[in-house]
Amino acid sequence: MSEISTSPDALTTIPIFSDLHILTVLSQTRNYTQAAQRLNISKTTVSLRIAALERAAGVALVHRSTRSVTLTSAGQMLVDEISTPFRNITQSFSSIKDFASVPRGLVRLTAPVALGRQFVMPTLTRFLAAYPEIQIELDLNDQLSNLANDGFDLAIRHTTSPPDNYVAWPLCTTRSVLVASRDYLARRGTPQHPTDLAKHDCLPYLRGKALQHEWVLEKVAFEGDEANVLVPVRGPLKTNNSEAIRAAALAGLGIALLPDFSVINSEPERQPLAQVLPDWRVRGFFGEQIYALRPWAPQVPRAVQCLVNHLKEEFQAGFLFPVA
């Protein structure tokens, strides 16, 4: 029987499975630095292994530029063929790890900034005490992520309609509220109808050009002909962070639009915010449910499932905010 040649020329014709995996990660991140961080190796190693893979293939697999990486047609065809097998391997290995008597492993979690700081982080301290073999990487970011491409195992998001291709575990309901300090209301008066808001300083959540200039309010319990009211709003501050809006409201700058979880007063020496127009709600800014989200897969790693179960228990009561 003839021996397999181990000369350098022969070795470059044999693709190394780890190099193929690096290519699949690079196809998701489109960036050598991010791929290296995901794989916990150096950027130089990623570049060298992709170059070796290209030599073995005899064809260019990536287009390189100073800002990003894109796949050639050959590279995309290869990734399309190998992505599913690698995903199956990862899931199979996770399943084997789950035979361990103690849940363990790394869970990469992303959550909105305000919700993460105020509620998710405190629950994680209790979770990690209960599961010392599990580690968590928490990314606080208000930008929606593609979990598979960005390497996250789980996301916490407030939304009304989770993506169809995700597994969505409902954690609790949430709602949008209008609030103001009692000092502001004493100076400017308390609105009795949505149209009164046009005469007030308002503090909108910054999301989309059209939404910045008007609010659409609907009756919480609709009765009669007045279903929706569109109100032009103006004010001294717009921002995309609910904690900043709450601080502005506490300082008496105006009437704030906030998700209920951000209304909770973290400054007990101050008077709580008063709810404005409690029979109305603003549409189109925040979701009505908080979910734990994960791309669909045949099996959920045990560490992830333990975290989901913990979050469901912690969030089940929802948010009871102290409004006056």
Side-chain angles (χ1 to χ4, degrees):
M1 184 174 69
S2 62
E3 295 183 357
I4 297 176
S5 172
T6 57
S7 68
D9 289 341
L11 288 175
T12 58
T13 65
I14 304 173
I16 300 173
F17 288 118
S18 59
D19 295 347
L20 292 171
H21 178 56
I22 290 172
L23 181 65
T24 64
V25 174
L26 187 61
S27 73
Q28 296 169 352
T29 62
R30 307 284 173 162
N31 182 283
Y32 278 105
T33 300
Q34 292 179 20
Q37 291 172 347
R38 176 93 65 86
L39 294 163
N40 198 27
I41 59 178
S42 70
K43 178 181 175 181
T44 300
T45 299
V46 173
S47 180
L48 290 174
R49 296 322 307 162
I50 293 297
L53 188 60
E54 289 180 316
R55 288 196 299 272
V59 64
L61 301 174
V62 300
H63 294 297
R64 297 164 178 83
S65 70
T66 56
R67 292 188 177 182
S68 64
V69 175
T70 57
L71 298 185
T72 64
S73 57
Q76 187 63 57
M77 183 175 67
L78 180 59
V79 166
D80 290 343
E81 290 290 334
I82 65 178
S83 291
T84 298
F86 272 114
R87 187 162 51 248
N88 292 340
I89 290 170
T90 301
Q91 292 170 358
S92 297
F93 187 70
S94 296
S95 299
I96 294 298
K97 287 179 19 181
D98 286 345
F99 281 109
S101 57
V102 178
R104 56 169 50 90
L106 174 65
V107 179
R108 294 183 174 91
L109 173 68
T110 180
V113 176
L115 180 64
R117 281 166 45 93
Q118 295 175 51
F119 291 99
V120 176
M121 190 58 221
T123 74
L124 294 185
T125 59
R126 294 186 284 273
F127 176 79
L128 293 172
Y131 295 96
E133 297 297 319
I134 296 177
Q135 301 85 44
I136 292 177
E137 287 184 4
L138 175 62
D139 174 84
L140 297 180
N141 198 318
D142 290 329
Q143 299 298 316
L144 297 179
S145 297
N146 183 313
L147 299 193
N149 286 355
D150 294 338
F152 292 112
D153 300 297
L154 196 67
I156 299 174
R157 287 288 181 259
H158 47 109
T159 181
T160 301
S161 302
D164 292 337
N165 58 336
Y166 277 54
V167 179
W169 292 275
L171 302 181
C172 66
T173 58
T174 181
R175 60 195 178 102
S176 302
V177 292
L178 293 172
V179 292
S181 71
R182 282 185 277 186
D183 288 341
Y184 174 86
L185 296 176
R187 294 195 323 267
R188 301 287 299 274
T190 300
Q192 301 300 312
H193 186 271
T195 54
D196 296 338
L197 293 172
K199 298 177 288 186
H200 281 265
D201 290 330
C202 295
L203 305 170
Y205 188 90
L206 190 60
R207 179 184 294 165
K209 292 183 178 179
L211 297 177
Q212 293 176 30
H213 303 295
E214 59 189 29
W215 286 341
V216 177
L217 288 90
E218 63 182 3
K219 275 276 194 179
V220 174
F222 171 61
E223 294 180 5
D225 297 328
E226 196 173 34
N228 299 318
V229 179
L230 188 150
V231 181
V233 293
R234 59 175 180 81
L237 176 71
K238 302 182 184 73
T239 178
N240 64 346
N241 180 269
S242 58
E243 289 178 302
I245 293 177
R246 182 186 64 191
L250 286 168
L253 291 184
I255 297 174
L257 171 64
L258 290 169
D260 52 5
F261 58 78
S262 281
V263 179
I264 293 179
N265 190 1
S266 62
E267 302 176 65
E269 70 278 6
R270 296 197 182 202
Q271 293 179 339
L273 295 169
Q275 190 169 0
V276 175
L277 298 172
D279 295 332
W280 296 81
R281 61 187 168 203
V282 180
R283 292 172 40 196
F285 280 86
F286 307 110
E288 297 177 355
Q289 189 86 25
I290 292 179
Y291 290 94
L293 301 171
R294 175 178 167 80
W296 185 90
Q299 293 178 316
V300 178
R302 189 176 178 192
V304 173
Q305 188 62 63
C306 287
L307 179 56
V308 169
N309 293 342
H310 174 81
L311 292 170
K312 289 169 68 174
E313 182 177 350
E314 291 277 343
F315 277 77
Q316 63 181 341
F319 308 103
L320 301 175
F321 51 88
V323 293

